[in-house]
Amino acid sequence: DAGVTQSPTHLIKTRGQQVTLRCSPKSGHDTVSWYQQALGQGPQFIFQYYEEEERQRGNFPDRFSGHQFPNYSSELNVNALLLGDSALYLCASSGLVFTDTQYFGPGTRLTVL
Amino acid sequence: QKEVEQNSGPLSVPEGAIASLNCTYSDRGSQSFFWYRQYSGKSPELIMFIYSNGDKEDGRFTAQLNKASQYVSLLIRDSQPSDSATYLCAVTLRNTDKLIFGTGTRLQVFP
């Protein structure tokens, strides 16, 4: 049973650039949520996708956008990168029954120079 | 007031002891409660979830929920050095699947 997968594992970008992170949910899951985790902090909710639409959004600027594909995989895009965007980006998936029980992927470590 | 509060630790316990991790939350509309374990440099791993008042046991782990006191705890029996990690408490509010996390408690189990 494949768990949540994310790519790439690590990424280094410079200020002002754009980045795309990818996530495939756990088998049988149809909902994908994205979180940002800064060093020493708990994960912060960015947004959630269900049926290819953004269902909920946290307190993140419009520079953060996403997409969900028909196969339930998802992308997180961040434009005009800032130094403060450096963090571990986590994707979590959940299923139809316990919709708030979320399983995390390994994360993408983004460093903005 | 933070929505979910945890003592950052570190909490140091000897091998074989019971580790007690605590978490308080501010919103009485909180619906579901989760404990995640996170090793350094890794992603959070779901350990337990609890929805109703009382205790829920799974192996060496017991989650305890007291909604009246807005308090949730995690007990780890027979602690092992491999339990050394940061434990994150998370809650969801009614009608939302957004996880709200505390900053985590670092647990150290020494031999």
Side-chain angles (χ1 to χ4, degrees):
Chain A
D1 179 20
V4 181
T5 61
Q6 291 186 245
S7 64
T9 304
H10 295 90
L11 207 51
I12 299 175
K13 293 285 188 179
T14 57
R15 280 178 296 174
Q17 285 190 310
Q18 178 264 343
V19 68
T20 297
L21 311 181
R22 295 177 176 82
C23 169
S24 290
K26 186 177 167 68
S27 178
H29 285 183
D30 60 359
T31 301
V32 172
S33 302
W34 287 92
Y35 293 81
Q36 179 196 67
Q37 187 176 24
L39 206 59
Q41 301 298 315
Q44 297 291 313
F45 177 78
I46 303 175
F47 43 52
Q48 183 181 79
Y49 277 85
Y50 172 70
E51 291 190 341
E52 302 181 48
E53 291 194 358
E54 184 183 290
R55 183 161 70 174
Q56 299 176 67
R57 189 178 181 92
N59 295 324
F60 279 81
D62 292 344
R63 298 187 297 110
F64 290 77
S65 63
H67 188 77
Q68 186 179 35
F69 300 94
N71 67 352
Y72 308 122
S73 67
S74 177
E75 288 182 348
L76 164 65
N77 300 292
V78 187
N79 295 322
L81 284 167
L82 304 174
L83 295 178
D85 294 332
S86 295
L88 179 66
Y89 287 85
L90 297 161
C91 168
S93 73
S94 50
L96 292 174
V97 179
F98 297 103
T99 59
D100 57 359
T101 303
Q102 298 178 28
Y103 297 87
F104 284 89
T108 294
R109 173 73 61 186
L110 173 64
T111 301
V112 182
L113 302 176
Chain B
Q1 181 185 8
K2 290 183 179 179
E3 293 176 283
V4 178
E5 295 208 50
Q6 298 180 256
N7 188 317
S8 60
L11 172 66
S12 293
V13 300
E15 185 174 357
I18 296 176
S20 177
L21 302 158
N22 304 314
C23 171
T24 58
Y25 59 94
S26 61
D27 195 319
R28 289 195 174 274
S30 298
Q31 169 176 271
S32 305
F33 306 85
F34 303 85
W35 283 99
Y36 287 84
R37 177 176 63 196
Q38 187 171 30
Y39 292 111
S40 181
K42 302 295 185 182
S43 65
E45 173 192 8
L46 181 63
I47 299 175
M48 298 277 295
F49 56 87
I50 186 167
Y51 302 132
S52 305
N53 274 330
D55 295 0
K56 179 181 179 182
E57 187 175 317
D58 184 1
R60 296 188 296 115
F61 300 98
T62 299
Q64 299 175 316
L65 175 61
N66 184 326
K67 289 188 176 182
S69 300
Q70 296 176 243
Y71 176 94
V72 57
S73 64
L74 179 70
L75 301 178
I76 306 175
R77 289 181 299 281
D78 188 24
S79 295
Q80 301 297 310
S82 59
D83 294 325
S84 298
T86 296
Y87 290 79
L88 295 162
C89 172
V91 308
T92 59
L93 303 179
R94 198 169 294 120
N95 299 322
T96 175
D97 295 338
K98 176 178 79 168
L99 285 169
I100 303 169
F101 283 88
T103 55
T105 298
R106 188 157 64 96
L107 173 66
Q108 294 177 335
V109 181
F110 55 91

